[in-house]
Amino acid sequence: MSWLARLKPGASTNTNLLVAALMWSFIGFYLMVRGYLLDQPLPGMLLLLALGLGTMKAFWLIERAARKNIARIVARPDGMCLGGVYSWGMWGMVVCMMVGGRLLRNSAVPPLVVGVIYVAVGWALLLSSRLIWREWNATKSLR
């Protein structure tokens, strides 16, 4: 066994699913809180708008990515690297979203609009994470 293979943080399929679910949930929750409190708390109507947009984004876009991520994790054998919980493309998307969020926050876009976007994206991630949690729970029950 090579020294690199010994350093690899390998984990079971169940652990990879848990890490993916935790990441989606925590990042979603963080974005929601950050967006809600960005400049001032979002007024009720804007919060409802953000949750509605986030729900649509979850059902039309994010859940597809969640299902692909679940299928990818489940198809991999046990002991695979935790960093491989996402594909290279998904990691690239994460970086792009982080950079995009930073640019948006530092742009001339009004803070209330940025807050709505943050809450919508956060809610979409949090809502879609239920699919990964469900698969983790099913996989956990099989052990």
Side-chain angles (χ1 to χ4, degrees):
M1 179 180 265
S2 74
W3 66 273
L4 191 57
R6 285 187 299 225
L7 294 176
K8 174 186 77 173
S12 68
T13 299
N14 193 40
T15 301
N16 275 274
L17 286 167
L18 176 62
V19 167
L22 285 170
M23 285 178 68
W24 282 54
S25 297
F26 285 139
I27 293 168
F29 182 73
Y30 169 79
L31 286 173
M32 288 182 70
V33 170
R34 183 78 190 251
Y36 180 74
L37 300 174
L38 190 62
D39 188 43
Q40 60 189 16
L42 284 179
M45 290 305 290
L46 288 180
L47 182 60
L48 288 175
L49 173 66
L51 294 175
L53 291 171
T55 299
M56 289 189 304
K57 182 178 176 80
F59 288 139
W60 290 338
L61 293 171
I62 304 294
E63 287 189 4
R64 187 176 335 144
R67 286 187 184 94
K68 282 175 64 175
N69 196 40
I70 291 166
R72 183 178 183 283
I73 292 170
V74 170
R76 295 168 14 143
D78 267 352
M80 296 300 288
C81 181
L82 267 177
V85 72
Y86 297 129
S87 66
W88 284 106
M90 182 70 84
W91 280 115
M93 179 68 76
V94 168
V95 170
C96 286
M97 289 181 73
M98 289 170 59
V99 170
R102 171 73 76 179
L103 291 173
L104 183 63
R105 208 170 45 247
N106 292 321
S107 73
V109 176
L112 285 176
V113 174
V114 175
V116 167
I117 293 169
Y118 270 42
V119 171
V121 171
W123 174 241
L125 287 170
L126 190 58
L127 182 60
S128 298
S129 74
R130 79 188 188 292
L131 300 175
I132 307 171
W133 284 112
R134 189 180 303 145
E135 185 65 30
W136 171 74
N137 193 45
T139 304
K140 182 181 68 149
S141 301
L142 296 176
R143 293 191 157 247

